[in-house]
Amino acid sequence: MRIWGVAFAAALVIVIPGDAAAQRARQGLLSLEDARLFYEVVGEGEPIIVVHGGPGLDHNYLQPGLDALATRNTLIYYDQRGTGRSSAALDSSAINIDAFIEDIDALRQALGYERVTLLGHSWGAVVALEYASRHPEALQSLILMNPVEPGARFRDQQAARQRAALTVEDSTELATLTATEGFGARDPATVSQVYRVMFRQALRDRARIDELDLDLAEPTAKNGADVGRLLGESMGEVDWWDRLPQIRVPTLVLHGRYDLIPMQMSQALAASLGQGRVVLLESGHFAYLEARDGLLSAISSFFVDLSR
């Protein structure tokens, strides 16, 4: 994948990837042959590229909660192509898992990092694992926060937990929202409310749903469903359990005790990886919101162990 240049929001200039200015930029646009990637850099220290969930969301829902990591690390957020402030054609040539993996590597190179840690949240953990499989030489470590399963062994358990968490009120509101013209037209306000209803059942404390930034940008609301569909078509049925032992990157798996994803899945994931460990946090699916202190402590200890 050829990198054309980096346009920085502050100065709106084009520079050569790897230029020192790229490392000082707080926000920028990475121009590729078939896409433009928006990114934001927060903090100082060892670099962590944050891979948001979805597919079809952007990075905004992770802030400001995850910014707490920026006291000790440089966080590089980015919007996956097709959503947020990143752009690409909505077709299979531009939206596919190969492009999503190479976008991360292009961003790493453009910012001048030889090796990075990837932090993947939810579905972003699947992308992070695939990156680790293809580019182990570029990784210091992996952090999988509330990861979804890279397969289907625990599908029935998770489905049962989701059914138990869905209240009558949630079900009624979702049915009402998805039947509206606004949802059919992918109106940002309507699509945002659908996500609020879906995500509040994934929290330990449902009342905290408004602390997540789920006011979707128009491109995210308009394009998210197509991005998800195209990615699904490119990946097929994901069943990576047999491949996981080949990933020999130090990996921290962060699991929320009240997550709808079964604890047994995260334990099996950590055990299957060559250098995996799991830490249990007192949260639902958004550990950085509901268990921030525990998350910071677990990640800090992980990095201390890496340095030994």
Side-chain angles (χ1 to χ4, degrees), residues 11-76:
L12 295 179
V13 297
I14 301 293
V15 301
I16 298 172
D19 189 284
Q23 298 179 48
R24 295 194 299 268
R26 309 314 293 172
Q27 292 185 341
L29 287 171
L30 176 62
S31 295
L32 306 171
E33 284 184 293
D34 60 350
R36 286 165 66 88
L37 299 181
F38 172 82
Y39 67 89
E40 180 175 354
V41 181
V42 181
E44 301 291 340
E46 291 297 311
I48 300 176
I49 296 180
V50 180
V51 186
H52 65 75
L57 289 173
D58 57 48
H59 85 277
N60 283 350
Y61 76 92
L62 292 165
Q63 293 181 295
L66 201 60
D67 287 349
L69 289 175
T71 58
R72 298 183 181 180
N73 293 92
T74 300
L75 297 185
I76 302 100

Side-chain angles (χ1 to χ4, degrees), residues 261-276:
I261 295 167
M263 175 66 178
Q264 294 91 330
M265 193 289 294
S266 289
Q267 291 172 326
L269 176 58
S272 296
L273 294 165
Q275 300 182 57

Side-chain angles (χ1 to χ4, degrees), residues 175-211:
T176 300
L177 286 166
T178 56
T180 62
E181 290 184 9
F183 183 76
R186 302 181 186 178
D187 166 62
T190 308
V191 177
S192 296
Q193 185 58 24
V194 168
Y195 273 107
R196 289 188 187 94
V197 177
M198 292 192 301
F199 285 168
R200 69 190 180 203
Q201 60 192 283
L203 289 165
R204 177 185 181 182
D205 180 0
R206 295 164 56 93
R208 298 188 68 176
I209 187 62
D210 289 338
E211 296 178 47

Side-chain angles (χ1 to χ4, degrees), residues 30-234:
L30 176 62
S31 295
L32 306 171
E33 284 184 293
D34 60 350
R36 286 165 66 88
L37 299 181
F38 172 82
Y39 67 89
E40 180 175 354
V41 181
V42 181
E44 301 291 340
E46 291 297 311
I48 300 176
I49 296 180
V50 180
V51 186
H52 65 75
L57 289 173
D58 57 48
H59 85 277
N60 283 350
Y61 76 92
L62 292 165
Q63 293 181 295
L66 201 60
D67 287 349
L69 289 175
T71 58
R72 298 183 181 180
N73 293 92
T74 300
L75 297 185
I76 302 100
Y77 297 101
Y78 74 103
D79 292 336
Q80 292 160 10
R81 54 172 61 200
T83 62
R85 283 177 275 184
S86 294
S87 58
L90 292 178
D91 59 42
S92 60
S93 68
I95 307 295
N96 57 73
I97 189 60
D98 293 338
F100 271 54
I101 299 305
E102 295 314 309
D103 284 350
I104 297 172
D105 208 53
L107 184 59
R108 176 189 65 81
Q109 292 182 57
L111 294 177
Y113 296 122
E114 182 177 354
R115 298 173 74 215
V116 297
T117 291
L118 285 192
L119 187 159
H121 176 246
S122 190
W123 179 82
V126 174
V127 180
L129 285 168
E130 183 65 4
Y131 183 91
S133 177
R134 301 189 193 192
H135 295 286
E137 76 290 342
L139 283 182
Q140 178 189 19
S141 60
L142 283 176
I143 300 172
L144 308 179
M145 181 173 62
N146 306 108
V148 301
E149 181 183 356
R153 291 183 185 177
F154 298 87
R155 179 180 294 170
D156 291 344
Q157 281 182 255
Q158 181 171 336
R161 292 170 68 88
Q162 289 174 323
R163 287 194 299 270
L166 185 67
T167 67
V168 173
E169 291 78 9
D170 290 338
S171 182
T172 300
E173 187 171 358
L174 282 173
T176 300
L177 286 166
T178 56
T180 62
E181 290 184 9
F183 183 76
R186 302 181 186 178
D187 166 62
T190 308
V191 177
S192 296
Q193 185 58 24
V194 168
Y195 273 107
R196 289 188 187 94
V197 177
M198 292 192 301
F199 285 168
R200 69 190 180 203
Q201 60 192 283
L203 289 165
R204 177 185 181 182
D205 180 0
R206 295 164 56 93
R208 298 188 68 176
I209 187 62
D210 289 338
E211 296 178 47
L212 287 176
D213 183 356
L214 294 174
D215 291 325
L216 301 184
E218 184 170 351
T220 303
K222 298 289 187 185
N223 300 341
D226 290 327
V227 169
R229 173 181 57 80
L230 290 164
L231 275 172
E233 291 172 357
S234 76

Side-chain angles (χ1 to χ4, degrees), residues 217-276:
E218 184 170 351
T220 303
K222 298 289 187 185
N223 300 341
D226 290 327
V227 169
R229 173 181 57 80
L230 290 164
L231 275 172
E233 291 172 357
S234 76
M235 296 174 73
E237 184 71 22
V238 173
D239 187 1
W240 293 354
W241 284 105
D242 291 342
R243 295 172 47 198
L244 296 180
Q246 301 169 21
I247 298 176
R248 307 293 302 179
V249 177
T251 303
L252 175 64
V253 179
L254 298 168
H255 182 86
R257 183 188 302 274
Y258 304 94
D259 203 331
L260 299 180
I261 295 167
M263 175 66 178
Q264 294 91 330
M265 193 289 294
S266 289
Q267 291 172 326
L269 176 58
S272 296
L273 294 165
Q275 300 182 57

